[in-house]
Amino acid sequence: MELYIDIRWLLERQAEVLPKHPSVHDFSSLVAAVGRHRVNTPHVGAVVDESWRAAALMHAVIRLRPLPARNALFGAAVVISYMSAAGEALDPPYGALIDLARDIDAGRADAYDAADRIRSWRV
């Protein structure tokens, strides 16, 4: 199933996950995240599936920082919400999603690495 989301979907997730925190301060980052998850051929030989799309969203949210704070939490929540909406259940090991968010934030993991990890957590 190919599930494409829009900015409204991201804003709804932000309101669910961080209802008492400041609102989005850079909407262009959300536009970039939406556009990136829609790319069908990120590079030659890359597997494009729901894990790739979730990873692209997470990577863009964490690296582009659309919120004034808590972007890693938002990115992790987007992965869980996106995969669930796409009909894919995830069961990451304890702390693995947070480790992935930290690795992305520190530049130790790119979207391809994130997609591989997310793919390995599918049930």
Side-chain angles (χ1 to χ4, degrees), residues 56-78:
L57 287 166
M58 181 183 200
H59 190 268
V61 164
I62 292 172
R63 297 296 293 193
L64 298 178
R65 304 182 187 288
L67 307 177
R70 315 276 315 237
N71 289 287
L73 174 61
F74 182 37
V78 164

Side-chain angles (χ1 to χ4, degrees), residues 36 41-44 46-47 51-52 55-56 59 109-119:
R36 189 169 186 210
T41 53
H43 72 63
V44 176
V47 176
S51 298
W52 157 255
H59 190 268
D110 61 14
Y112 306 107
D113 299 324
D116 288 342
R117 291 192 212 180
I118 293 167
R119 213 172 273 116

Side-chain angles (χ1 to χ4, degrees), residues 8-24 67 74:
R8 181 182 53 166
W9 187 90
L10 285 174
L11 292 172
E12 288 170 354
R13 301 301 73 77
Q14 189 268 336
E16 288 173 2
V17 176
L18 302 165
K20 296 181 181 182
H21 290 276
S23 61
V24 173
L67 307 177
F74 182 37

Side-chain angles (χ1 to χ4, degrees), residues 90-107:
L90 291 181
D91 187 21
Y94 182 79
L97 195 54
I98 297 302
D99 290 342
L100 175 56
R102 286 183 182 140
D103 288 347
I104 290 170
D105 194 36

